[in-house]
Amino acid sequence: MGASDFANLPHIGEPVLRKEDYRFLTGAGQYTDDIVLAQQAHAVFVRSPHAHAQIQSINTRAASEAPGVLAVYVGTDVAGDKINGLPCGWLITSTDGQPMKEPPHPILAQGKVRYVGDHVAMVVAETLEQARNAAELVEVQYQLLPAVVDVADAKAGKASVHQEAADNHCYKWAIGDKAQVDQAFAQAAHVTKLDLVNNRLVPNAMEPRAAIGAYNRASDEYTLYVSNQNPHVERLLMTAFVMGLPEHKVRVIAPDVGGGFGSKIYLYAEDVCLTWAAKKLNRNIKWTADRNEAFVSDAHGRDHVSHAELALDKNGKFLALKVHTDANLGAYLSTFATAVPTILYATLLAGQYTTPQVYVEVDAWFTNTAPVDAYRGAGRPEATYLLERIVSRAAAELGLGQDEIRQRNFITQFPYQTPVALQYDIGDYPACLNKAKEMGDVAGFAQRKAASAAKGLLRGIGYSSYIEACGIAPSNIAGALGARAGLFECGEVRVHPTGSVTVFTGSHSHGQGHETTFAQVVAARLGIPVENVDVVHGDTGRVPFGMGTYGSRSISVGGAAIMRALDKIEAKAKKIAAHLMEASDADIEFANGEFSVKGTDKKIPFGQVALTAYVPHNYPLDKLEPGLNETAFYDPTNFTFPAGTYICEVEVDPQTGVVRVDRFTAVDDFGTIINPMIVEGQVHGGLVQGMGQALMENCVYDKESGQLLTGSFMDYAMPRADDFPTFNIGHVCTPCTHNPLGTKGCGEAGAIGSPPAVINAVLDALSAVGVKDIDMPASPHRVWKAIQAAKH
Ligand code: MCN
């Protein structure tokens, strides 16, 4: 079935209410911490209070003797059992041909701690209180070392985080043709320059990380329950790379998961510690992070420092872009950390524009901070922020409108080969911009600005035309770029004798509504009610295989795998129907849940075929197996390229520096939309996360001590619903050309496109008082300071 036929099926494009919401809204969800196993003990981790220190000694005697304590494990126990460190899933090769530096990432510290929150010991006790009390009794003698928390100090060599990378440098990576870029700059009529920081963020999923390690002595099998986005990948990494266990002896279950935003993709030290200790103690062991623990130990996001230059001709056409970025990777390489500032970032720097030459150089650094990895958007928000900021700055310098400069440079011919590896299959960028202008009533901006001025407020408008590559990705290309894993997806469609269906998918839903949208896809294809389809995910024991959910890949890759399985179901069902109706296979048509014989009025419903497959009394057993159960693996041939234009209007109070977002219009192209209600929710969530980064959120470490200064919600400002206006959301649809659904991912778009729209609006407002630059988050204090500085 082609993507355009698919888009016209019933259920596709319908705002079907979420099937999963009944259990979530009635308190019947089952998150990891809700699970209570027999013989369950509790673990607490003793974490480093210092950013960088040598461990001189650890005395566990008092803790071990405390009431209820079953064991206290430290680094030497792990080393003694030959448990390896955590692997990094993406190998980056430096410009000099050398592999990136990959220092060991032990699950419990081996002689040295490298960030506040680093794992030093694990205490296991009968109750959580006993484990907590005993953890207080673990005595660790530290010899403090100087710490580096940002790339400036890491570069300056204020301290060495790892012996294996004495200069703190992990890799230097580049893409693009530098000579061509330099030549284009030599011919430029105008060059716009920009220095910016992409602020570090803490993901803060509503459910903190949690895990239970379980062990069955009778079968020598482990089960890990874990709040995670990709259980099969977790299992693969843990068994093959860290514990050296046969994969089939470990089952990983990621039950209901209360948000991840990237931070639960990774294999974390706690997961391995619990699994390993479960066998040692022959006990089931639970750990749930508290919020402070989450702040210090979840992988953080962003943290780039960049310099960019854009060369333009006299008509405002972009000739070339050059960028240098320093990326802070934190103390250790988290699972996908190295791909974020390279493959997921630099390849997006052509944006929606025809810029013929782009050159990007990235230096990645170790620091004494929590590991940094993918967080909603991963690399693409950083690229979009840089590009859309420099484009709006160039417009201001040349006296062009923010819309005009974008219009002059938009790509309009597809497929389009960018100078930074990606090939965009389809899009309509002018249509998104025009629709956003119309929906956002840009024509009325001048009037609104005058009304704001009458109240003593400064009004500004900001544009951002983002593109992202998602639906990650063709395995062969990812492999050539350093991925140490495949990036396909698997789907199994099990038709039951009565015609209802269970789908088993390798994607994982942790807020994205897959149980509904995937059911819509299956119901649409088979012509059955959505209620007759259930979706199973998050269990290596039930789902054949899976690469999980991140990079807005689930509908376009996971959904496509299900479509492939449905192709097989349909092909087999047609043979059964042909037999039942005594017709040739080639004459069978399938539509609206019925098989019919071409040119006749003979037809039978899908349910009858399903029943026949399982009660094969009248069945071509010589040619066909009974049953109707098919599995498919789907490896996409390209990314999908959602794109759109966002327009933000802010009012700034020059007396207080307070920024109020007054209007926000988002027009996105997600190709074919399965469920517009769910997509709208995804966009809302993304927008709020992006606007949170732009105006409020900031993860700050103390430069001297390396302490996390924003380690709680008292210090780290999370956005709330009443911080923003109702969003104005619209769509343009150019269906993806290479997947069977025509879909493009929507899960990250809002977080990618919104930060530059907000900051461009703030700067437009502040241009009236001479402010030319501001970094995120544009907090009242920062805005006020910038206004004061501009006065002098
Ligand atoms: N969808 C659709 N039509 C489209 C595109 C998507 O109906 N054209 C639907 C999908 O079927 C799915 C949802 O929208 O139900 C999101 O789909 P998709 O864009 O494929 O993204 P994923 O499901 O792969 O989700 C991952 C994405 C990412 S990368 C992050 S980070 C993120 C996000 O989703 N984390 C989230 N949204 C989140 N939402 C919640 N509540 N919690 C998180 O942790």
Side-chain angles (χ1 to χ4, degrees), residues 229 259-262 375-377 510-514 517-518 549-556 670-676 678-679 682 743-748:
Q229 302 176 212
F261 309 109
Y375 167 61
R376 203 167 194 170
H510 37 279
Q512 296 91 343
H514 297 171
T517 49
F518 286 18
T549 286
Y550 38 84
S552 301
R553 68 194 303 271
S554 300
I555 195 65
S556 304
F670 299 133
T672 301
I673 287 180
I674 310 296
N675 186 323
I678 285 179
V679 166
Q682 287 293 307
T743 51
K744 307 175 191 179
C746 74
E748 296 157 294

Side-chain angles (χ1 to χ4, degrees), residues 47-130:
R47 296 177 184 277
S48 169
H50 304 297
H52 199 192
Q54 208 69 47
I55 297 176
Q56 290 181 314
S57 65
I58 308 179
N59 184 344
T60 60
R61 180 183 290 182
S64 305
E65 290 171 356
V69 170
L70 299 167
V72 180
Y73 296 114
V74 297
T76 45
D77 299 310
V78 168
D81 278 7
K82 302 210 167 11
I83 303 293
N84 292 326
L86 303 176
C88 177
W90 207 294
L91 171 72
I92 296 297
T93 303
S94 277
T95 45
D96 63 3
Q98 292 301 308
M100 66 188 191
K101 291 180 198 122
E102 258 181 294
H105 185 175
I107 60 166
L108 291 177
Q110 301 289 322
K112 198 178 177 195
V113 285
R114 295 184 173 85
Y115 65 101
V116 172
D118 207 351
H119 316 74
V120 177
M122 178 174 72
V123 178
V124 185
E126 293 291 349
T127 70
L128 181 57
E129 286 64 31
Q130 288 170 335

Side-chain angles (χ1 to χ4, degrees), residues 140-194:
V140 188
Q141 297 292 331
Y142 295 102
Q143 187 196 348
L144 297 197
L145 298 167
V148 287
V149 300
D150 58 26
V151 291
D153 284 348
K155 270 182 181 183
K158 206 179 120 194
S160 266
V161 183
H162 294 278
Q163 211 181 331
E164 298 79 358
D167 55 0
N168 297 317
H169 194 228
C170 180
Y171 58 76
K172 179 188 271 305
W173 180 89
I175 190 168
D177 188 329
K178 188 169 185 302
Q180 295 274 357
V181 167
D182 288 343
Q183 209 179 336
F185 267 84
Q187 285 154 16
H190 182 83
V191 173
T192 294
K193 298 183 180 178
L194 180 64

